């Protein structure tokens, strides 16, 4: 821009002028000589005014993005000499940004993505791009009416001088628009309902559908258009396409979508030939492909049978090869002929070389010793490459619980096709393996507190090595657990140690445990403890568990021997008639289990777990020469209201339960199903049965099932098992003496909020039902107490799983008449 002072003569455009002086004015903080030097103009320079030289200088200054106004003035003319004044206004600097109308986390994202840092120059372009960024960001999320207002205010320092500008961004997202109608145009073969059903993210408003809102987002709609075409291809319409789609804004809250499709012709599979295969016969490949001539064309299915990218260990052709050494195999389906409505295919296979593992390495294990990791690897140097074994290795490392399962990755460091060798590196990130269990609440008649320490990656061999205490010897994969639980009327102390690889050569797990319980008689009405009347339980167990190879290597066979000694002193209750006596519980437990859940044990997305166990005592009545039939007959004739009768009953029961005799069968099955991406359905079924060999001797008053609640007050007074059933108070669905049979069924829908290393958080909703029964004559699997509710789980490596559930019991508790209603269950350190 050029200007001439009104006091001077008019410029001659065809005359070259000599610069007599140059000055700088305007609102700017730069040194005058620095600005003049940057322009390149000097006193004595000759130039045309206006002319190319001043235009170049002006352009050069604008390119710096430092100024909002640049103007050259001619302040005086004397012959062919001129005085020039450069007037510049410096762009304001950013001092502080304030964003209103959105959450703090979103504010940081906007500031970072737009470079709104202190000191940055505020240009028109910066304002425009920031406004457009915010508007487009929220439009993509379905806020089509987003309004963004950006204003600037002076930032005054302590001297009253303006030193910069403060930016205020006011964002009004408005309401997220809903899809009132989805109109499908041009469809004849697939109904509107089927076409709309293929759209998983964009749904037409329906008051009866509560699990999926009718929101509109650009990304979701684009994905749904691809899903729509995929649906057509699954039904044989290979040439189906979307001709156009239109978004119609009805008002600020509602939009409609018009989608015009061209379905095309329906096709069928013709001949399918395999070309290039030498490792597998056509018959083997065709059987796995599972597509027959004459079937309706399904392009999606064809691709999944060749390589299913959604499932790494899918049973497809690519994995068939890659699980048997052919790492670099290429398989491509090619249409070779179209005959009317029939398509012939060639499945062209380039097998290439077989690969073998050369070097296998692990990085990132800062605490866990190498041998603990390497013994779990299913990939060994010299083995033929197998993708299945790589995936299985990731699963085994994740199941250890020492590493962040979401960040386990296999890295191919070298692929030498000429020699058929591949180097593989597993990258792990350690997480805290030790846990503190803190548990507190009211249950069983009083406050119950628990303190537990679990060291899940302990090193027993370094227990006497002072240098290994950082703060404890860790890294060898053993599990050491210390636990104390107490209330006003009982204390329980336990110690356990698990060695998962006994001897270090094979996956044979050794488990040992010891526990001691002191129980005092408690008056629940008066809340009074009588410490002169007590019940002691001391016991321990030793167990072995071995991984099996048949039926598959997810199975484990376990067996254990356990012993508990029960000692009573003046402890007469309804459950124990022999108040001064003892009982011994010697049992052998064997079980078989299978765990095929995926690599994250905190949040499994697929797979299953089941276990079947039998706990057996020796059949003492078969060889101890005691006539239990006579004792039972005598007992039935005694008068319990008399002192003599009660004393004799106590003597008989002491004989009956001197050595406990029973067998106990339990089953539990859990299945995890990925409903959609990370949305997981957990299905669980449980059953337990306690019985006696000798009916005259009867089922002992120990080892019984107590159903209901969260298990917070489940002290191991008599070997009882408390079965969690949310929506009801603890143990409220069983009689005072417990039950001999129980079953439980549950459905739990889970969705993760975050699965980070520091904390894994997921929310859940559940439906449950269960019941407790005495004997098979009273057993009715359909007579159950039902409940429903929701909750949240937070897993932190240092504390284990924390959870709170809100459950509504639809049925009365034992001896009740009204639905139980709402119950809150809060547990710290509960198993998952």
């Amino acid at each position: 821009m050029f200007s001439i002072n009104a006091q001077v003569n008019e410029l001659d455009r065809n005359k070259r002028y000599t610069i007599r002086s140059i000055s700088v004015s305007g609102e700017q903080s730069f040194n005058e000589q620095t600005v003049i030097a940057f322009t390149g103009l000097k006193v004595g320079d000759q130039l045309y005014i206006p002319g190319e030289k001043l235009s170049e200088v002006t352009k050069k200054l604008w390119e710096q993005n430092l100024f909002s106004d640049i103007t050259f003035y001619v302040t005086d003319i004397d012959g062919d000499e001129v005085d020039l004044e450069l007037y510049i206004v410096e762009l304001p600097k950013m001092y502080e940004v304030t964003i209103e109308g959105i959450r703090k986390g979103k504010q940081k994202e906007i500031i970072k993505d737009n470079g709104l840092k202190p000191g940055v120059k505020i240009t028109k372009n910066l304002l425009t791009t920031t406004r457009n960024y915010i508007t487009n960001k929220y439009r993509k999320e379905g806020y089509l009416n987003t309004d963004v207002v950006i204003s600037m205010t002076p930032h005054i320092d302590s001297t009253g001088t303006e030193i910069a500008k403060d930016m205020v961004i006011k964002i009004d997202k408005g309401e997220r628009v809903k899809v009132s109608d989805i109109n499908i145009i041009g469809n004849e073969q697939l109904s509107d309902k089927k076409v709309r059903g293929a759209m998983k993210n964009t749904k037409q408003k329906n008051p009866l559908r509560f699990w999926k809102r009718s929101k509109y987002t650009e990304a979701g709609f684009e994905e749904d258009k691809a899903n729509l075409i995929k649906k057509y291809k699954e039904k044989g319409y290979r040439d189906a396409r979307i001709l156009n789609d239109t978004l119609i804004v009805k008002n600020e809250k509602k939009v409609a979508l018009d989608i015009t499709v061209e379905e095309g012709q329906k096709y069928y599979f013709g001949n399918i030939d395999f070309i290039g295969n030498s490792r597998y016969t056509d018959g083997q490949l065709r059987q796995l492909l599972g597509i027959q001539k004459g079937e309706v064309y399904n392009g999606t299915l064809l691709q999944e049978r060749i390589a299913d990218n959604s499932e790494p260990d899918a049973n497809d052709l690519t994995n068939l090869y890659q699980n048997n050494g052919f790492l670099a195999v290429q398989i491509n389906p090619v249409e070779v002929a179209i005959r009317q409505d029939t398509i012939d295919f060639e499945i062209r296979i380039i097998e290439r070389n077989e690969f073998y593992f050369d070097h296998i390495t692990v990085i990132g294990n800062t605490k866990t010793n190498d041998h603990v990791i390497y013994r779990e690897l299913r990939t060994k140097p010299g083995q033929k490459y197998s993708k299945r074994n790589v995936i299985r290795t990731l699963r085994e490392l994740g199941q250890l619980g020492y590493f962040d399962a979401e960040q386990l990755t296999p890295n191919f460091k070298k692929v030498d096709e000429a020699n058929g060798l591949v180097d593989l590196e597993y990258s792990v990130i350690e997480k805290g393996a030790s846990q503190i269990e803190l548990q507190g609440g009211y249950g069983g008649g009083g406050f119950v507190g628990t303190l537990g320490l679990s060291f899940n990656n302990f090193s027993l061999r370094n227990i006497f090595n002072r240098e290994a205490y950082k703060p404890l010897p860790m890294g060898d994969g053993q599990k050491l657990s210390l636990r104390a639980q107490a209330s006003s009327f009982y204390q329980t102390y336990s110690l356990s140690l698990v060695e998962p690889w006994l001897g270090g050569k094979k996956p044979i797990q050794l488990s040992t445990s010891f526990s001691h319980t002191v129980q005092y008689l408690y008056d629940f009405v008066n809340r009074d403890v009588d410490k002169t009347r007590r019940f002691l339980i001391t016991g321990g167990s030793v167990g072995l568990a071995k991984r099996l190879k048949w039926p598959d290597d997810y199975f484990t066979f376990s067996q254990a021997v356990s012993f508990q000694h029960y000692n009573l002193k003046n402890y007469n209750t309804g459950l124990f008639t022999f108040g001064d006596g003892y009982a011994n519980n010697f049992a052998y437990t064997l079980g078989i289990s299978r765990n095929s859940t995926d690599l994250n044990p905190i949040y499994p997305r697929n797979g299953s777990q089941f276990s079947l166990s039998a706990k057996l005592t020796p059949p003492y009545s078969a060889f101890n020469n005691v006539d239990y039939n006579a004792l039972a007959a005598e007992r039935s004739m005694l008068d319990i209201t008399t002192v003599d009768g009660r004393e004799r009953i106590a003597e008989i029961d002491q004989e009956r339960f001197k050595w406990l005799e029973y067998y106990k069968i339990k089953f539990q099955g859990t299945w995890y199903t990925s409903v959609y991406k990370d949305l997981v359905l957990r299905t669980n079924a449980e059953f337990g049965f306690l019985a006696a060999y000798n009916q005259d001797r009867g089922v002992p008053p120990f080892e019984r099932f107590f159903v209901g609640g969260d298990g917070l007050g489940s002290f191991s007074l008599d070997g009882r098992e408390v079965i969690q059933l949310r929506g009801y108070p603890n143990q409220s669905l069983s009689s005072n003496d417990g039950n001999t049979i129980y079953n439980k069924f549950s459905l739990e829908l889970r969705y993760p909020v975050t699965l980070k290393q520091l904390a894994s958080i997921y929310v859940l909703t559940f439906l449950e039902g269960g019941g407790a029964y005495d004997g098979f004559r009273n057993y009715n699997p359909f007579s159950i107490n039902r409940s429903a509710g929701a909750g949240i789980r937070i897993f932190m490596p240092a504390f284990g799983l924390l959870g709170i559930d809100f459950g509504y019991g639809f049925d009365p508790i034992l001896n009740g008449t009204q639905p139980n209603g709402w119950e809150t269950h809060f547990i710290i350190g509960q198993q998952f």
Side-chain angles (χ1 to χ4, degrees):
M1 183 181 291
F2 310 100
S3 181
I4 304 172
N5 192 304
Q7 302 296 323
V8 302
N9 298 325
E10 193 169 321
L11 289 167
D12 185 347
R13 292 177 176 271
N14 298 316
K15 184 177 180 179
R16 290 167 63 90
Y17 291 92
T18 301
I19 299 176
R20 184 170 64 183
S21 67
I22 306 174
S23 62
V24 179
S25 64
E27 299 177 18
Q28 48 88 26
S29 59
F30 296 104
N31 178 275
E32 182 178 20
Q33 295 304 315
T34 301
V35 175
I36 294 172
F38 183 79
T39 65
L41 299 174
K42 301 185 295 294
V43 173
D45 284 353
Q46 293 186 336
L47 72 169
Y48 292 99
I49 303 176
E52 183 178 348
K53 180 64 175 178
L54 288 181
S55 296
E56 288 177 354
V57 171
T58 304
K59 181 181 178 182
K60 183 179 179 182
L61 290 170
W62 279 120
E63 288 175 347
Q64 303 311 303
N65 285 322
L66 296 174
F67 310 104
S68 62
D69 191 6
I70 303 172
T71 306
F72 276 102
Y73 290 96
V74 176
T75 58
D76 193 19
I77 301 176
D78 184 7
D80 61 355
E81 294 183 330
V82 296
D83 294 331
L84 291 180
E85 178 184 331
L86 173 59
Y87 177 81
I88 55 177
V89 177
E90 189 177 350
L91 285 170
K93 292 181 180 179
M94 183 88 70
Y95 187 83
E96 187 177 46
V97 180
T98 303
I99 301 180
E100 301 175 359
I102 58 174
R103 291 187 293 109
K104 203 168 198 178
K106 295 291 185 182
Q107 294 176 18
K108 292 180 179 179
E109 181 182 334
I110 289 174
I111 290 172
K112 179 181 178 182
D113 290 350
N114 290 277
L116 305 179
K117 301 176 181 178
V120 72
K121 297 292 184 179
I122 303 173
T123 65
K124 289 183 179 179
N125 182 61
L126 178 68
L127 297 176
T128 302
T129 55
T130 299
R131 184 181 293 106
N132 292 340
Y133 169 89
I134 297 171
T135 302
N136 292 331
K137 172 183 174 63
Y138 286 106
R139 279 184 64 87
K140 290 178 181 179
E141 295 180 9
Y143 298 96
L144 301 188
N145 303 305
T146 299
D147 183 43
V148 181
V149 177
I150 303 177
S151 60
M152 311 298 300
T153 58
H155 187 90
I156 309 300
D157 67 6
S158 58
T159 66
T161 305
E162 179 183 336
I163 59 172
K165 297 284 187 181
D166 291 332
M167 178 184 287
V168 178
I169 305 175
K170 296 182 178 180
I171 302 174
D172 181 7
K173 296 189 298 184
E175 292 189 26
R176 180 176 268 154
V177 296
K178 304 292 176 59
V179 181
S180 61
D181 301 286
I182 300 177
N183 303 310
I184 312 298
I185 304 164
N187 58 312
E188 296 179 356
Q189 303 304 321
L190 295 187
S191 66
D192 290 358
K193 184 178 180 181
K194 285 188 176 180
V195 175
R196 293 191 193 108
M199 303 172 68
K200 304 300 183 185
N201 303 296
T202 312
K203 295 293 185 182
Q204 182 173 283
K205 193 170 183 180
N206 184 344
L208 299 179
R209 187 184 61 250
F210 60 88
W211 61 90
K212 186 73 176 180
R213 294 182 296 171
S214 58
K215 66 180 182 180
Y216 170 82
T217 66
E218 287 185 14
F221 184 49
E222 289 300 317
E223 183 180 333
D224 281 339
K225 288 193 291 184
N227 290 335
L228 190 155
I229 297 303
K230 181 180 177 182
K231 185 70 172 181
Y232 267 103
K233 290 187 176 182
E234 289 174 356
K235 299 297 182 182
Y237 298 93
R238 162 186 173 272
D239 301 328
R241 61 187 181 130
I242 295 175
L243 296 179
N244 58 68
D245 59 87
T246 306
L247 176 70
I248 303 168
V249 179
K250 289 192 165 185
N251 53 49
E252 290 186 353
K253 296 182 179 180
K254 294 181 181 180
V255 297
L257 294 169
D258 286 352
I259 303 173
T260 303
V261 300
E262 183 179 78
E263 295 178 321
Q265 182 180 350
K266 188 172 185 176
Y267 289 91
Y268 298 84
F269 283 112
N271 296 318
I272 300 177
D273 298 319
F274 294 92
I275 306 297
N277 54 305
S278 59
R279 178 64 176 82
Y280 298 101
T281 66
D282 288 3
Q284 290 173 308
L285 297 177
R286 187 168 285 111
Q287 183 178 11
L288 182 58
L289 186 67
I291 297 175
Q292 302 298 324
K293 180 179 180 180
E295 290 183 3
V296 174
Y297 169 82
N298 186 334
T300 302
L301 178 64
L302 177 63
Q303 186 56 51
E304 288 178 351
R305 295 290 172 82
I306 291 173
D308 187 352
N309 295 325
S310 66
E311 207 174 328
D313 55 350
N315 192 25
D316 55 46
L317 295 180
T318 301
N319 281 344
L320 174 67
Y321 274 94
Q322 291 193 344
N323 289 335
N324 290 278
F326 294 91
L327 169 64
V329 66
Q330 295 180 2
I331 306 177
N332 297 301
V334 179
E335 295 179 4
V336 293
I338 300 177
R339 297 175 284 107
Q340 296 180 344
D341 62 353
T342 302
I343 306 174
D344 293 339
F345 282 90
E346 284 183 358
I347 309 296
R348 296 177 181 175
I349 302 173
I350 303 175
E351 294 180 341
R352 311 179 95 159
N353 292 339
E354 287 184 298
F355 280 80
Y356 291 82
F357 291 114
D358 191 11
H359 298 95
I360 306 292
T361 56
V362 178
I363 62 170
N365 55 312
T366 56
K367 298 177 183 178
T368 306
N369 293 323
D370 285 347
H371 73 274
V372 175
I373 300 175
Y374 280 91
R375 69 193 184 190
E376 299 291 346
L377 302 186
R378 298 301 178 97
T379 53
K380 308 288 184 183
Q383 281 184 350
K384 186 181 291 187
Y385 173 81
S386 170
K387 180 181 176 182
R388 180 188 295 116
N389 286 343
V390 175
I391 295 172
R392 183 63 185 277
T393 295
L394 294 177
R395 187 256 178 196
E396 297 301 322
L397 293 179
Q399 288 286 327
L400 287 175
Y402 311 150
F403 312 113
D404 184 352
E406 298 297 315
Q407 298 191 63
L408 288 171
T409 53
N411 304 313
F412 291 89
K413 303 302 292 183
K414 183 188 72 174
V415 179
D416 182 358
E417 188 167 357
N419 295 305
L421 298 174
V422 57
D423 290 349
L424 188 60
E425 176 187 89
Y426 293 101
S427 176
V428 301
I429 297 177
E430 296 264 12
K431 67 177 184 179
S434 300
Q435 295 174 3
I436 300 174
E437 178 186 1
L438 296 172
Q439 181 173 299
Y442 283 92
F447 182 81
V448 181
T450 301
L451 173 62
L453 299 174
S454 294
F455 308 106
N456 296 326
N457 194 4
F458 194 67
S459 177
L460 189 62
R461 65 186 173 92
N462 286 318
I463 197 167
F464 298 112
N465 181 0
R466 296 178 61 182
E467 296 180 357
Y469 281 77
K470 299 177 182 180
L472 289 168
M474 305 293 285
D476 278 347
Q478 289 128 8
K479 181 176 181 179
L480 175 66
S481 298
L482 306 169
R483 194 169 186 267
Q485 188 177 63
S487 74
S488 59
F489 59 97
Y490 80 91
Q491 299 96 40
T492 297
Y493 309 95
S494 62
L495 167 69
S496 66
L497 177 67
V498 177
E499 166 56 74
W501 284 67
L502 183 62
K505 300 295 183 182
K506 294 183 178 181
I508 299 176
Q509 177 179 287
L510 171 66
S511 304
T512 59
S513 67
F514 173 81
S515 64
H516 179 69
T517 298
V518 180
Q519 164 77 27
Y520 299 105
L521 191 66
Y522 185 72
D523 185 340
F524 287 85
V525 177
N526 298 315
R527 295 185 177 275
D528 183 47
V529 179
D530 185 352
K531 293 192 175 182
T532 64
R533 308 171 71 180
R534 55 109 177 110
F535 180 14
L536 302 181
I537 307 173
T538 304
S541 67
V542 177
L544 291 174
K546 180 181 180 181
R547 296 184 198 172
L548 303 179
K549 295 183 178 179
W550 185 90
D552 62 37
D553 57 2
Y554 290 109
F555 279 86
T556 299
F557 174 72
S558 61
Q559 49 189 331
V561 176
S562 61
F563 175 78
Q564 287 85 35
H565 176 72
Y566 305 97
N567 188 287
L568 293 85
K569 179 182 179 182
N570 195 23
Y571 200 89
N572 293 88
T573 68
L575 186 62
F576 302 106
T577 58
F578 49 103
D580 288 289
Y582 67 92
N584 296 304
N585 185 359
F586 177 76
Y588 169 67
T589 303
L590 69 160
I592 187 147
S593 61
R594 186 179 188 271
N595 181 358
S596 63
T597 56
D598 65 7
L599 76 167
N600 192 340
I602 307 302
Y603 192 82
R605 295 174 177 85
N606 54 65
S608 62
Q609 294 174 282
F610 82 81
S611 62
L612 177 65
S613 66
K615 188 173 184 179
L616 314 168
T617 65
Y620 301 107
S621 57
F623 53 78
N624 65 1
N625 298 319
V626 176
D627 189 347
Y628 291 104
N629 181 272
L631 290 177
E634 181 185 356
R635 193 182 191 280
S636 65
M637 300 296 293
L638 294 171
D639 184 359
I640 198 171
T641 62
T642 66
V643 175
D644 290 342
R646 288 195 298 271
E647 290 179 350
R648 181 51 184 160
I649 288 174
E651 292 173 359
I652 292 174
D653 287 349
Q654 171 67 88
E655 182 62 38
R656 289 170 63 205
F657 303 127
K658 184 184 301 182
W659 287 93
L660 302 185
E661 182 180 286
Y662 63 89
Y663 63 95
K664 189 177 190 179
I665 309 296
K666 292 195 299 179
F667 169 82
Q668 180 174 7
T670 306
W671 295 263
Y672 298 92
T673 306
S674 179
V675 178
Y676 180 70
K677 295 184 179 178
D678 284 337
L679 182 65
V680 174
L681 177 66
R682 176 183 181 269
T683 308
N684 181 73
E686 300 178 34
F687 174 80
F689 171 55
L690 175 68
Y693 303 121
N694 187 324
Q695 298 306 314
D696 291 325
R697 194 172 189 183
V699 179
F702 302 90
E703 297 285 339
R704 299 195 174 207
F705 303 110
F706 291 78
V707 177
D710 51 28
L712 186 61
S714 58
F715 54 90
S716 54
L717 165 63
D718 46 20
R720 67 179 59 188
E721 292 190 42
V722 175
I723 310 303
Q724 181 192 74
L725 186 61
R726 292 166 284 189
Y728 298 94
N730 285 351
Q731 306 177 37
S732 61
L733 304 180
S734 293
S735 63
N736 289 336
D737 294 342
N739 299 97
T740 59
I741 299 177
Y742 89 94
N743 56 208
K744 174 188 169 185
F745 312 96
S746 63
L747 294 173
E748 194 171 276
L749 197 61
R750 302 173 167 185
Y751 188 78
V753 177
T754 178
L755 295 174
K756 300 295 185 182
Q757 179 183 359
L758 293 178
S760 295
I761 304 173
Y762 61 87
V763 293
L764 60 90
T765 59
F766 65 86
L767 296 172
E768 283 188 334
Y773 319 90
D774 281 319
F776 275 111
R777 289 186 178 182
N778 300 315
Y779 177 63
N780 182 354
F782 303 105
S783 176
I784 58 177
N785 290 75
R786 303 157 299 165
S787 66
I792 187 171
R793 297 289 184 271
I794 303 173
F795 179 85
M796 292 188 292
F799 293 97
L801 199 72
L802 319 178
I804 184 169
D805 289 330
F806 302 95
Y808 184 88
F810 294 105
D811 299 293
I813 63 173
L814 198 66
N815 301 321
T817 58
Q818 299 296 322
N820 185 65
W822 287 102
E823 293 282 341
T824 300
H825 307 289
F826 180 69
I827 291 292
I828 302 177
Q830 188 183 22
Q831 71 277 8
F832 51 91

